[in-house]
Amino acid sequence: MARVNANYDKLAAGYLFPEIARRTKAFIEANPGATVMRLGIGNTTEALTPAILDGLRQGVEKLADNSTYTGYGDEQGDSRLRQAIAGSYAERGAQIEAGEVFVSDGAKPDAANIQSIFSQDAVIAVQDPAYPVYVDSNVIAGRTGESRDGTYEGLVYMRCDESNGFFPHPPEQKADLIYLCSPNNPTGAVASKEQLKEFVDYARKNKAVIIFDAAYAEYISDKSLPRTIYEIEGAKECAIEINSFSKTAGFTGVRLGWTIVPKALLAEGAEAGKINSLWNRRQCTMFNGASNVVQEGGLAALSQKGRTESARLIEYYMGNARVIVDGLKSKGLTVYGGVNAPYVWLKTPNGMKSWDFFDKLLNECRVVGTPGSGFGPAGEGFFRLSAFGHRENIDKAVESIKVNLVL
Ligand code: PGU
């Protein structure tokens, strides 16, 4: 008799973004003809750049001729791409070898799957609020108890609020796997080197492993802020880093990411090299490599021309962020983030609940955002606006908030 994985029943709600899409659709059906401005999901909107298109085209061309055609590639990724990714770390003073780079079809699957190489009894610590994948993947894996008021039993929540500038100190209690995201989704906060060092020190002392999600690293313009955790001394002993071409090069639909599993990484009972080989084993069994065409696009994205073009795209989205921040501030709202990150984190007016504000913004302004409570209990009373979008749409949304939002 087949039974389902009952851990799915513990998930407190449907996945956040489909839920937003569902409510938006219901609103449009109830208000035919209404134009809705979507600042909910962090989804890129601007066309791929010329260098990347050339790379992708080359990838397709190779498949057109038997002499250059390739079928299955290495599960870990094309060695040229692994090398190029490793090389990009050297510029930041971090020495990463190609053999520590695992190319994937995006940061989300890696963020969800990485827990599977750690023990079932690992204590999980997450920033609260956080990108929901870290919590949900561990709930599904059975590392938590039931959820009560949006808090899962057995998880360590590291509260991120106004009092700590939305970045926590390491937990008081022992945690084994610590998920950190900087620049942060959803708060837009970016950890300083000192803040990351505190976590690296904690992890080394407790033989914990940090899962560092750097998907928005390229949005950091302040040169004093770390763009990889490996800028911190000792991080290779205790941190795995996940990253993506999605937000950097517009690959949200194209799909390409990577994970760094350093050979020096240690855990209780795992000597140097062990965790790297476990992730290799996991990927070889459950993943057949990223698309060969797409990897050619990734290589092009890492070329000098590709990077210059992508930097312009990022500037464009960060211009959107400025429009949002300035507009909301002029309306008298309290606003965080949006400076070194493409998310604006606003405090709901009059202490409104996040989902109530979602409905209010949709009804009064026709603007879709993301309720803060969807990212964890400490997100209640906050709301995320994404800076991804065409400028005209962002301008319209901000104008509508200024004119129509009743405070
Ligand atoms: N990591 C973080 C911190 C993210 O915010 C996102 C996307 C990803 C990873 C996914 O990267 P991929 O390489 O594209 O897989 N967050 C978006 C999209 C929602 C989602 O479900 O991924 C967001 O709006 O939060």
Side-chain angles (χ1 to χ4, degrees), residues 13-17 20 128-133 135-136 186 345 354-355 370-382:
Y15 188 64
L16 180 60
F17 297 101
I20 290 169
D128 176 20
Y131 179 45
V133 173
V135 170
D136 288 4
W345 189 236
S354 300
W355 275 111
T370 308
S373 57
F375 298 97
E380 184 58 276
F382 287 89

Side-chain angles (χ1 to χ4, degrees), residues 15 17 42 106-108 131 185 213 216 244 246-247 255 384:
Y15 188 64
F17 297 101
K108 185 178 188 172
Y131 179 45
N185 172 16
D213 189 336
Y216 301 98
S244 172
S246 281
K247 311 301 164 77
R255 308 303 305 145
R384 190 191 84 173

Side-chain angles (χ1 to χ4, degrees), residues 114-384:
I114 197 76
Q115 47 75 29
S116 70
I117 60 167
F118 293 95
S119 75
Q120 191 62 30
D121 61 359
V123 175
I124 309 298
V126 289
Q127 284 173 277
D128 176 20
Y131 179 45
V133 173
Y134 318 139
V135 170
D136 288 4
S137 60
N138 279 290
V139 172
I140 291 167
R143 288 200 185 81
T144 70
E146 299 295 328
S147 138
R148 289 210 170 77
D149 305 325
T151 306
Y152 289 96
E153 283 167 359
L155 281 191
V156 176
Y157 287 88
M158 302 182 292
R159 201 179 158 83
C160 300
D161 57 23
E162 289 166 298
S163 75
N164 58 12
F166 298 98
F167 196 82
H169 290 288
E172 301 284 330
Q173 64 272 60
K174 187 169 153 20
D176 304 313
L177 266 190
I178 302 167
Y179 290 80
L180 292 178
C181 177
S182 174
N184 192 264
N185 172 16
T187 67
V190 185
S192 66
K193 283 188 181 155
E194 294 69 30
Q195 284 172 318
L196 287 189
K197 185 177 182 312
E198 259 195 75
F199 275 90
V200 167
D201 291 346
Y202 172 96
R204 290 172 83 190
K205 190 162 148 241
N206 294 288
K207 283 205 180 156
V209 172
I210 297 167
I211 313 290
F212 189 74
D213 189 336
Y216 301 98
E218 295 299 326
Y219 285 77
I220 296 176
S221 53
D222 180 340
K223 296 271 182 289
S224 71
L225 295 169
R227 290 202 260 170
T228 158
I229 194 163
Y230 303 119
E231 285 182 42
I232 314 302
E233 208 191 317
K236 280 197 332 191
E237 272 174 42
C238 65
I240 289 172
E241 183 164 297
I242 296 172
N243 210 322
S244 172
F245 288 86
S246 281
K247 311 301 164 77
T248 304
F251 275 39
T252 43
V254 179
R255 308 303 305 145
L256 193 66
W258 73 88
T259 286
I260 307 291
V261 186
K263 293 186 177 157
L265 190 66
L266 301 172
E268 183 69 41
E271 71 283 7
K274 172 81 179 174
I275 302 176
N276 177 284
S277 69
L278 282 184
W279 185 243
N280 187 50
R281 185 72 177 80
R282 192 269 168 211
Q283 291 298 80
C284 288
T285 303
M286 304 201 187
F287 181 60
N288 241 343
S291 150
N292 45 14
V293 173
V294 168
Q295 291 190 77
E296 293 290 341
L299 261 173
L302 291 177
S303 69
Q304 202 47 55
K305 183 164 182 276
R307 288 163 50 155
T308 306
E309 290 173 358
S310 292
R312 253 181 260 135
L313 265 188
I314 289 170
E315 263 172 42
Y316 177 85
Y317 291 127
M318 288 311 294
N320 289 348
R322 274 192 298 281
V323 170
I324 300 170
V325 168
D326 292 348
L328 297 183
K329 279 190 175 161
S330 77
K331 184 85 184 168
L333 291 161
T334 305
V335 181
Y336 301 95
V339 179
N340 290 288
Y343 294 120
V344 177
W345 189 236
L346 71 104
K347 201 169 173 173
T348 59
N350 313 314
M352 255 181 120
K353 294 265 190 201
S354 300
W355 275 111
D356 292 344
F357 187 70
F358 174 91
D359 291 334
K360 181 177 168 71
L361 201 64
L362 187 53
N363 281 298
E364 291 175 2
C365 313
R366 309 271 196 259
V367 172
V368 176
T370 308
S373 57
F375 298 97
E380 184 58 276
F382 287 89
F383 199 79
R384 190 191 84 173

